[in-house]
Amino acid sequence: MAAGELEGGKPLNGLLNALAQDTFHGHPGITEQLLQSQLYPEVPPEEFRPFLAKMRGILKSIASADMDFNQLEAFLTAQTKKQGGITSDQAASHKTKIRESLMNQTLSWRVDGNSQLTETKHSPQIHTPVAIRELELGKYGQESEFLRLEFDEVKVNQILKTLSEVEESISTLISQPN
Amino acid sequence: MEESSELPLDAKSEFVDFQWKLGLAASCDGCRSLKYRYVAVLAVMLKVADHSGQVKTKSFEMTVPQFQNFDRQFKEIAAVIETM
C-alpha cells in the first residue's frame, strides 16, 4: 500500500483520536501495534511507523503552538497540501478536544498568619499574613496535579487587579454582537 | 515539567506572576445544532517559584464560570487578609 493511500477517511480519524488519547489524555494500552492492527492491518510496520510519528508530530504542533484560528487555518492548509497530511476538519476537532482536556479546579484556601524569612540573631521574626491556595490542575485520564501556592497581601492585590482586567475583557467579549 | 501528584505537606510554591489570554473556542456537542457554538476560554500561564527558587510556568484553561468562581474566592481572600 503506498504511503499516499494512508491518508483520509475513517482509519485516519480513528488514528488521530487514538493519538490524542495517548498523547494528551495518558490513556494506557494504546500501542503502536494496537493502532496498526486495528486501523491499518494491511500496512507493513516499516511504513506505519513513520506515518504514526508524523501524525503524532502534527497533533503536538497543534496543541503546543497555541495558535489562533487564523494560524491554525494556515498551518492546516500547509499540512493538507503535503502528502499524508490531514484534513482541516479533523485537525479543528482535535484541537478543541485537546484544549478541553486541560481542566482547572480551585479547591480550597486558607489564610495563615505565618512567620516568613529565616531568622537571624539580629533581625526580629517577621510575621506576614499569607494566603495559601491549592489549585488542582487536571487532565482527563491522568492524575491531577496539586499546586499549593503562597501569596502575601501585595500579591493578592496584584492578582485582584489582573482579575478585574480579565472581568472587563469577558464583559466586552460577551456584550459584542455575534 | 513533570510533577509528582504527591507533594510533601509543606511544599509550597510562591506565586510569581500570571499572564492570561481570553479567546473563543468552537465546540460542537454531537453537532446537535447546525450553528457553531462558541465557548469563551481563558488561557492562563501561571509562573511559580518552587522552594529552590526555580521558576516554572503552568499553563491551563478555565471556562468563564470557573474564572468567576476563582475571582470570587480571591476577593474573599483579599477581604480576610486585609483584616489581619
Side-chain angles (χ1 to χ4, degrees):
Chain A
M1 196 190 269
E5 291 172 29
L6 285 170
E7 61 185 303
K10 265 174 104 174
L12 181 61
N13 225 13
L15 179 66
L16 290 173
N17 262 319
L19 283 180
Q21 294 278 336
D22 177 34
T23 310
F24 301 105
H25 309 301
H27 199 282
I30 295 185
T31 63
E32 186 185 310
Q33 286 83 357
L34 181 70
L35 289 173
Q36 201 229 322
S37 64
Q38 293 291 311
L39 299 167
Y40 295 95
E42 279 139 34
V43 175
E46 57 270 19
E47 266 193 54
F48 185 71
R49 200 162 293 137
F51 173 66
L52 184 66
K54 173 186 265 177
M55 290 301 121
R56 263 196 228 272
I58 289 176
L59 269 189
K60 282 210 164 110
S61 301
I62 294 173
S64 66
D66 191 28
M67 305 171 189
D68 64 26
F69 280 91
N70 289 331
Q71 288 170 318
L72 182 62
E73 199 79 52
F75 174 78
L76 292 170
T77 310
Q79 287 297 320
T80 55
K81 282 185 174 152
K82 290 188 200 168
Q83 192 192 38
I86 55 177
T87 67
S88 54
D89 283 337
Q90 287 163 331
S93 81
H94 284 290
K95 179 170 203 269
T96 307
K97 273 195 203 143
I98 288 160
R99 290 168 71 112
E100 280 168 5
S101 77
L102 292 173
M103 168 179 89
N104 167 63
Q105 276 174 26
T106 55
L107 272 193
S108 62
W109 57 271
R110 67 178 194 273
V111 180
D112 285 349
N114 240 358
S115 63
Q116 255 189 329
L117 306 180
T118 318
E119 293 173 47
T120 67
K121 280 189 183 151
H122 304 291
S123 64
Q125 239 182 344
I126 299 172
H127 286 268
T128 316
V130 292
I132 298 173
R133 185 108 189 263
E134 216 169 61
L135 275 179
E136 182 185 8
L137 304 177
K139 296 184 185 184
Y140 288 129
Q142 279 182 9
E143 280 194 32
S144 307
E145 177 190 340
F146 286 85
L147 196 61
R148 223 176 238 117
L149 293 178
E150 227 179 64
F151 316 83
D152 59 21
E153 191 175 346
V154 169
K155 288 191 175 147
V156 168
N157 288 325
Q158 176 194 337
I159 291 169
L160 272 188
K161 192 162 162 285
T162 311
L163 292 181
S164 60
E165 285 169 18
V166 178
E167 262 184 284
E168 230 185 275
S169 271
I170 289 176
S171 307
T172 311
L173 190 69
I174 286 174
S175 68
Q176 268 174 4
N178 243 339
Chain B
M1 225 178 65
E2 294 290 301
E3 294 269 337
S4 157
S5 61
E6 285 176 16
L7 292 171
L9 279 174
D10 59 353
K12 281 175 241 147
S13 303
E14 195 193 314
F15 167 81
V16 173
D17 189 19
F18 85 91
Q19 290 167 333
W20 58 276
K21 222 185 317 187
L22 187 62
L24 288 176
S27 74
C28 171
D29 184 5
C31 293
R32 283 196 287 252
S33 154
L34 284 178
K35 284 187 184 170
Y36 284 116
R37 307 178 96 203
Y38 291 94
V39 176
V41 171
L42 182 68
V44 177
M45 286 132 289
L46 181 66
K47 284 207 178 104
V48 299
D50 65 17
H51 55 272
S52 72
Q54 202 189 3
V55 177
K56 297 179 183 181
T57 305
K58 307 279 181 192
S59 295
F60 55 91
E61 294 182 351
M62 286 192 223
T63 61
V64 170
Q66 281 173 331
F67 164 75
Q68 286 167 337
N69 190 39
F70 192 89
D71 188 30
R72 182 181 47 81
Q73 286 193 1
F74 244 94
K75 285 175 172 153
E76 285 173 11
I77 293 176
V80 175
I81 246 189
E82 263 167 48
T83 65
M84 296 177 83

